[in-house]
Amino acid sequence: MQVAESSAASALPGEVALDERDGTYLMRAIAWSRTGRERGNRPFGAVVVSDNGEVLAEAWCNGTETGDCTGHAEMMALRQVSPQVDRETLARATIYSSAEPCVMCAGAIFWSNIRRVVYGIDAVRLRVFRGKRPEQRDAELSCRDVFAASPHLIECVGPALIDAASAPHIGVWRP
């Protein structure tokens, strides 16, 4: 299997503990999820950070305000960074996502050559918020399954900071 998982101690069942750097950037992605929500979009955010700590891209989900069904936070961040940063630099970068990347975003992360992902709320917990409404459902395939099909290792750390990552979703989804 090509997916590395963290074995750090957990705060909540199934939650991964993060070091200070990862916690800082994941909280930044969560802040962008709140920005997306405030602008009338679904509450998702993403930040791409180089191996030396430089923020390369930041984004929120903008699908509602643009009408672009691919306007997920990770996609928007990758659209910012891909034309500006070479693939070797991206191979050493980390993308921080407020929620577990969906199948589309996981595929785009693979194609970008980013090899490390840290995320907040996992898809299973997110589906509780989304309920059973067909228009709120997702393809029920973990990003780890997508990354496992990669010919190169993509480290996947999460779920983490679940309470903070969950907060922007409260009251957004229709039951």
Side-chain angles (χ1 to χ4, degrees):
M1 183 161 142
Q2 293 291 310
V3 180
E5 296 184 31
S6 174
S7 60
S10 297
L12 292 176
E15 183 174 37
V16 174
L18 301 177
D19 64 23
E20 184 178 351
R21 174 185 163 124
D22 284 344
T24 297
Y25 291 121
L26 183 54
M27 286 302 295
R28 197 163 171 164
I30 293 166
W32 283 113
S33 74
R34 288 191 300 273
T35 298
R37 177 183 176 159
E38 290 164 4
R39 294 176 63 110
N41 299 288
R42 291 181 172 180
F44 299 97
V47 178
V48 179
V49 180
S50 72
D51 60 338
N52 67 5
E54 178 186 359
V55 174
L56 302 173
E58 300 178 278
W60 63 87
C61 174
N62 69 2
T64 301
E65 64 186 297
T66 65
D68 180 358
C69 65
T70 67
H72 294 198
E74 299 92 337
M75 297 293 289
M76 300 310 299
L78 293 172
R79 286 181 183 131
Q80 288 175 36
V81 75
S82 294
Q84 308 298 323
V85 179
D86 62 79
R87 290 178 52 80
E88 292 75 29
T89 300
L90 290 176
R92 296 184 308 274
T94 300
I95 187 165
Y96 295 87
S97 179
S98 63
E100 181 176 352
C102 72
V103 173
M104 174 182 68
C105 292
I109 291 165
F110 162 77
W111 285 111
S112 76
N113 208 35
I114 291 175
R115 302 208 180 169
R116 186 165 188 267
V117 177
V118 178
Y119 68 86
I121 187 173
D122 57 280
V124 173
R125 286 180 177 91
L126 185 57
R127 286 183 195 112
V128 173
F129 284 109
R130 287 181 161 172
K132 300 286 185 193
R133 297 181 68 88
E135 71 273 13
Q136 296 179 161
R137 306 250 349 246
D138 65 325
E140 294 187 11
L141 183 67
S142 170
C143 68
R144 283 183 164 84
D145 295 327
V146 175
F147 298 149
S150 170
H152 56 261
L153 178 69
I154 300 175
E155 181 183 8
C156 190
V157 180
L161 304 178
I162 295 169
D163 286 341
S166 298
H169 294 275
I170 296 171
V172 170
W173 304 95
R174 297 185 333 208

